[in-house]
Amino acid sequence: MEINLLAGSSPHLKSGESTQKIMRDVIIALLPAAISSVYFFKVKAAMLIIVTVIACVTAEYAWCRITKKENTISDMSAAVTGILLAFNLSPSVPIWVAAIGGVFAIIIVKQLFGGLGHNFVNPALAARAFMMASWPVQMTAWQKPGWDAVSSATPLGIIKNGGGISGQMPEFWDMFLGNIGGTIGETSALAILAGAAYLVIRKVITLELPIAFIGTVGFMTWMLGGEAMFTGDFVYHIFAGGLMLGAFFMATDYTTSPVTFKGRIIMGIGCGLLTSVIRLYGGYPEGVSYSILLMNLVVPMIDRFLIPRSFGGGAVKNA
Amino acid sequence: MIKAIKSFRGGIKPGHHKVTAELETVKMPLPSKVVIPMLQHIGAPCMPLVKKGDRVLVGQKIGDSEQMIAAPVHSSVSGTVTDVRPVLYSTGVEVMAVEIKPDGLQEVHESVAPPVYTDKEGLLRSIRESGLVGLGGAGFPTCVKLSPPPGKVLDVLVINGAECEPYITSDYREMMENPEGIVEGTKRVMEITGVAKAFIAIEENKPLAIESISSLIKDGDNIEVVSLATRYPQGGEKQLIYTVTGRRVPVGKLPADVGVLAQNVATVAFIANYLKTGMPLIKKKVTIDGGAAANPMNVEVLIGTPLKEVFEFCGGFCEEPRKIIMGGPMMGVAQYSLDNSVLKQTNALLAFNENQAVETKESVCIRCGKCVAACPMSLMPLYINANVMRGNFEETMKYHVNDCMECGCCSYVCPASRHLVQSMRQAKAELRKLAARKQGGKN
Ligand code: SF4
Ligand code: SF4
């Protein structure tokens, strides 16, 4: 009997996980927020999501063709970037601006730095920062949910401008469900939490980073956000703005977050501190995306300084 | 029965695939030949004591070594030596082997008699003479393990019945078919080493084994059956010792350094039988399974039997096998040929079909951290892999690559199918070379 046997190193058994399956899970987890964005911001939200996804996927495809690399659009990471970018845009952002943002995210932020797994900042957030700098007016023209482009302020904008006067602030339930001004994907805490729960169940993300992030923002704004110490309206800070989206979907991005449990806690706390400082003392009403970007930059350092001790010791043997 | 007091870090839960669990072990008849390699243990290889044309008998010693860390080898059949030649292991090592054609008489050698000893040294010597090695898979000579270095005091014995690798059920069969032997052997080892307390640790997915062994233990035996969570690598020596005793074996140290002796269930059962009969290690319980194996089952096989004949006895293949694994799917070694022999520490032979054997293509690391979370030794496989890819072998030392036990958890979970374990091995080999070169430079 002549048979051709495969060699190969152990293990000979695999979990069957793949990058594609993980990205597909992320897209599924983003669906509730996508649906709620279309529900609240109607056709504008749908257009933005479609345009950014097409821009990102096309840019990735073109890059692979031009550089003669293996086509990577099937890993679906470009589509994820597209959706996340759209979620970070105001409904009033023109379509062409969104498209440029998508191309920027993929080409400049992701591929020029080596592609999936190598980019050191979150592509969607870096693109958003670039768009903020280039088209500040369009990027911050907020609207009320609904068919008509009725301009409105975001809840955090109201707090920032000394608001908080009753009547002006939205009701908690509107905020929780997403019936408020903001970027299209961030407004519904409910939809984001539903998606996050799916990611946790599917073991795509773990909770230490989001909890550290949200917990830190909650504590800091409670302590320092009010007239006197410990009177801040932390509920608003947690549910209004991009914290939920940022903590569960942006900060947990694999490529740009630490790989250890401790590292993720540190990143979460770091993001939380920066967000609170920007929100309470900075020039912007919102600080989630900048704080994540800043923490992205120190991720390689966090990983290098937190090489865990091996089980049963840890002293580096005559290294 | 008690529960394990600790839970080790990391690990994975692969499917059990233990379809052969309730199949009673079948004794395989004499093969047409046996090829018995001189190195079936960790340590120095043995020198053949017989030459071509010699007649040998069952249990006759056919290879031994002067070295301290070695275990002699015995003939598993009576017959004529047809060749003494080198064979190539699938790990790439070449060793001498004795090929014997059985005469069918299975005449037992005169040396096979219950060992007579007057003191502990004599007892240890006869255990060495039995050729016994750790039967859990690693193959470390048992008599060396039973005599800890001076100054080290053993106070706990842990008997490993975890059998955490998927597919394998040979230890389970031992626990079901020979629980008396296991309990008896545990007591013998306690006597030999003077250890007052023993734990027989079994994964909780084997309730019948836990029951059958517990029922044989009497008050005052100082033996406790411990049920372990079912998780791989629960049977890894350091993980097992930690979960059962709460003691961590320091990096680079041995269980004896924390006063623990760990032995596999089949190993102690062998000791019990050997002290009664004097029959050295010449046969093994082996699980036959995998998608290409026609009749998954447990067989008792003579050591040296060619794999081909074992599979033929078990009904052959129902599909073309693409990978033959000696051992479990997590740590077993893929065999390049079916002419290889069953060894002392062989506990399973898996014939994987096309589907099970083909590897998914490697893609880029997405930094998901799953390998870090799964590593029971708390390493960062992704960074070791990245440094190996760049040829930075010295850098891998910062990531403690030498603490890797090659359990395979990291590669198992990696969604990018990175060849993580392979790069661990490569890094360790390169570091050894570097160290050797440094040594050479000094002289
Ligand atoms: S599991 Fe694989 S993809 Fe994930 S971090 Fe480890 S090596 Fe990278
Ligand atoms: S093979 Fe090594 S690095 Fe991978 S999980 Fe096991 S101990 Fe950790």
Side-chain angles (χ1 to χ4, degrees):
Chain A
M1 175 178 37
E2 258 319 298
I3 48 173
N4 181 17
L5 292 178
L6 291 171
S9 153
S10 63
H12 310 283
L13 199 62
K14 297 282 166 68
S15 61
E17 271 292 347
S18 72
T19 303
Q20 193 187 26
K21 283 187 197 157
I22 290 175
M23 293 300 163
R24 193 176 59 205
D25 273 341
V26 175
I27 292 175
I28 293 173
L30 288 168
L31 283 180
I35 293 168
S36 88
S37 74
V38 174
Y39 176 80
F40 288 115
F41 297 104
K42 312 298 175 197
V43 76
K44 288 164 292 187
M47 285 301 288
L48 279 178
I49 295 173
I50 292 167
V51 166
T52 51
V53 169
I54 291 176
C56 286
V57 174
T58 318
E60 177 124 329
Y61 179 73
W63 173 271
C64 293
R65 280 300 289 270
I66 293 164
T67 58
K68 302 212 165 46
K69 279 207 208 126
E70 196 192 337
N71 186 359
T72 49
I73 59 172
S74 62
D75 70 23
M76 300 205 269
S77 61
V80 169
T81 301
I83 302 175
L84 286 174
L85 175 60
F87 278 12
N88 277 284
L89 300 177
S90 149
S92 57
V93 169
I95 298 297
W96 61 273
V97 170
I100 294 175
V103 174
F104 182 91
I106 295 298
I107 304 291
I108 309 288
V109 191
K110 183 178 171 189
Q111 295 297 355
L112 279 184
F113 288 95
L116 183 64
H118 295 283
N119 50 281
F120 57 89
V121 287
N122 187 312
L125 289 180
R128 177 178 185 266
F130 156 79
M131 292 158 81
M132 283 287 247
S134 309
W135 300 281
V137 180
Q138 287 92 330
M139 288 291 289
T140 53
W142 306 109
Q143 295 182 0
K144 274 214 168 77
W147 286 104
D148 313 306
V150 180
S151 72
S152 139
T154 62
L156 287 175
I158 300 171
I159 298 182
K160 187 90 205 169
N161 296 324
I165 313 143
S166 51
Q168 232 183 357
M169 287 294 284
E171 292 291 322
F172 174 79
W173 283 109
D174 279 337
M175 214 163 59
F176 186 70
L177 296 174
N179 194 18
I180 50 171
T183 72
I184 65 167
E186 76 183 14
T187 58
S188 173
L190 175 67
I192 293 166
L193 286 173
Y198 177 77
L199 287 186
V200 171
I201 291 168
R202 300 283 301 163
K203 298 205 169 76
V204 173
I205 63 166
T206 43
L207 281 175
E208 62 270 13
L209 200 167
I211 288 177
F213 192 170
I214 295 169
T216 306
V217 170
F219 180 77
M220 291 295 288
T221 51
W222 174 53
M223 183 167 79
L224 303 169
E227 310 265 295
M229 290 287 267
F230 300 110
T231 58
D233 201 342
F234 63 90
V235 176
Y236 269 82
H237 276 283
I238 288 176
F239 287 99
L243 182 56
M244 287 285 161
L245 181 66
F248 286 107
F249 285 96
M250 318 294 290
T252 55
D253 171 44
Y254 286 157
T255 305
T256 55
S257 62
V259 295
T260 55
F261 180 86
K262 267 192 215 158
R264 290 178 183 144
I265 299 266
I266 292 178
M267 166 137 176
I269 293 175
C271 286
L273 289 175
L274 288 169
T275 300
S276 313
V277 168
I278 295 173
R279 280 189 182 177
L280 298 175
Y281 308 110
Y284 298 100
E286 176 58 294
V288 170
S289 49
Y290 292 112
S291 69
I292 296 175
L293 283 173
L294 284 170
M295 288 308 289
N296 284 166
L297 297 176
V298 295
V299 164
M301 248 180 342
I302 295 179
D303 271 1
R304 205 155 337 116
F305 284 115
L306 283 182
I307 299 177
R309 286 159 156 254
S310 305
F311 175 70
V316 186
K317 282 173 291 177
N318 50 44
Chain B
M1 193 212 42
I2 53 170
K3 288 245 177 227
I5 54 170
K6 297 271 185 186
S7 163
F8 67 95
R9 173 202 190 273
I12 53 172
K13 287 189 175 174
H16 301 165
H17 304 285
K18 301 209 187 235
V19 296
T20 55
E22 301 310 330
L23 302 177
E24 209 152 306
T25 313
V26 180
K27 207 167 151 186
M28 180 179 163
L30 274 185
S32 69
K33 66 169 183 188
V34 290
V35 180
I36 304 175
M38 292 291 111
L39 178 65
Q40 302 183 43
H41 50 261
I42 293 175
C46 295
M47 296 302 292
L49 302 173
V50 291
K51 54 185 193 311
K52 193 171 166 178
D54 285 359
R55 176 147 200 268
V56 293
L57 300 178
V58 176
Q60 180 180 342
K61 188 155 79 172
I62 56 170
D64 204 347
S65 164
E66 310 262 278
Q67 298 293 315
M68 152 94 168
I69 301 186
V73 248
H74 302 81
S75 177
S76 52
V77 296
S78 70
T80 315
V81 176
T82 48
D83 209 354
V84 178
R85 61 179 159 92
V87 293
L88 187 67
Y89 273 170
S90 287
T91 46
V93 188
E94 209 181 53
V95 290
M96 289 306 280
V98 174
E99 184 180 306
I100 306 166
K101 191 169 166 40
D103 56 15
L105 303 172
Q106 285 306 78
E107 212 177 302
V108 176
H109 194 253
E110 62 195 16
S111 63
V112 178
V116 195
Y117 49 87
T118 46
D119 56 1
K120 205 181 134 185
E121 272 60 50
L123 177 57
L124 286 171
R125 219 171 306 127
S126 55
I127 287 182
R128 181 182 191 281
E129 282 307 302
S130 76
L132 182 60
V133 300
L135 299 180
F140 196 76
T142 304
C143 73
V144 181
K145 252 182 134 177
L146 291 180
S147 29
K152 305 257 155 68
V153 182
L154 300 176
D155 61 349
V156 178
L157 170 65
V158 180
I159 306 297
N160 190 348
E163 198 161 62
C164 58
E165 279 236 28
Y167 292 96
I168 312 183
T169 60
S170 46
D171 279 352
Y172 176 71
R173 288 320 305 168
E174 189 73 34
M175 293 187 260
M176 294 304 290
E177 291 161 16
N178 185 20
E180 302 83 7
I182 292 170
V183 175
E184 170 77 21
T186 305
K187 290 181 190 163
R188 290 289 89 79
V189 174
M190 289 168 79
E191 282 164 27
I192 298 170
T193 55
V195 169
K197 178 88 198 163
F199 298 97
I200 301 179
I202 305 171
E203 277 192 353
E204 64 196 1
N205 65 348
K206 306 176 185 67
L208 294 176
I210 293 178
E211 213 182 284
S212 76
I213 290 186
S214 303
S215 68
L216 294 173
I217 292 167
K218 291 184 293 293
D219 291 341
D221 282 348
N222 269 329
I223 303 174
E224 199 98 54
V225 174
V226 186
S227 95
L228 308 166
T230 307
R231 189 149 52 98
Y232 178 86
Q234 178 67 73
E237 199 168 64
K238 291 184 174 186
Q239 280 67 31
L240 181 75
I241 290 171
Y242 179 65
T243 48
V244 173
T245 67
R247 303 181 193 175
R248 289 171 203 258
V249 181
V251 161
K253 293 282 167 87
L254 294 171
D257 290 296
V258 292
V260 180
L261 173 67
Q263 291 289 336
N264 172 273
V265 279
T267 312
V268 294
F270 173 86
I271 292 177
N273 185 57
Y274 175 71
L275 294 180
K276 269 197 217 123
T277 64
M279 180 56 84
L281 183 56
I282 57 160
K283 56 182 191 199
K284 223 18 239 296
K285 275 199 179 75
V286 179
T287 300
I288 311 298
D289 202 347
N295 289 322
M297 60 196 281
N298 282 291
V299 276
E300 189 182 283
V301 189
L302 293 175
I303 285 162
T305 304
L307 306 188
K308 196 192 304 178
E309 296 195 29
V310 182
F311 279 110
E312 271 161 18
F313 172 70
C314 298
F317 301 113
C318 54
E319 272 181 73
E320 193 190 341
R322 294 307 315 281
K323 210 185 223 182
I324 301 290
I325 301 158
M326 185 180 284
M330 296 305 295
M331 290 186 79
V333 181
Q335 303 291 304
Y336 69 91
S337 163
L338 282 169
D339 294 329
N340 296 355
S341 325
V342 168
L343 307 176
K344 288 176 181 176
Q345 68 274 43
T346 304
N347 45 15
L349 290 171
L350 307 177
F352 273 9
N353 61 23
E354 182 77 30
N355 252 341
Q356 295 169 311
V358 171
E359 291 202 11
T360 25
K361 229 178 88 224
E362 249 189 324
S363 53
V364 292
C365 167
I366 54 172
R367 295 179 40 84
C368 64
K370 288 182 193 287
C371 54
V372 180
C375 178
M377 295 307 291
S378 306
L379 309 188
M380 294 174 120
L382 76 158
Y383 288 119
I384 298 174
N385 178 249
N387 279 304
V388 167
M389 301 300 284
R390 278 189 237 113
N392 292 344
F393 297 108
E394 295 215 40
E395 186 75 13
T396 62
M397 213 136 61
K398 280 194 201 142
Y399 291 100
H400 317 309
V401 68
N402 283 323
D403 298 339
C404 167
M405 59 188 225
E406 296 173 23
C407 65
C409 292
C410 51
S411 295
Y412 175 86
V413 296
C414 179
S417 298
R418 304 292 307 164
H419 298 163
L420 300 171
V421 178
Q422 225 166 315
S423 54
M424 306 290 149
R425 288 204 191 98
Q426 201 187 336
K428 286 192 215 173
E430 292 292 334
L431 289 178
R432 271 198 299 273
K433 272 193 229 161
L434 273 175
R437 219 172 299 147
K438 270 188 199 154
Q439 278 280 310
K442 269 185 217 146
N443 297 338

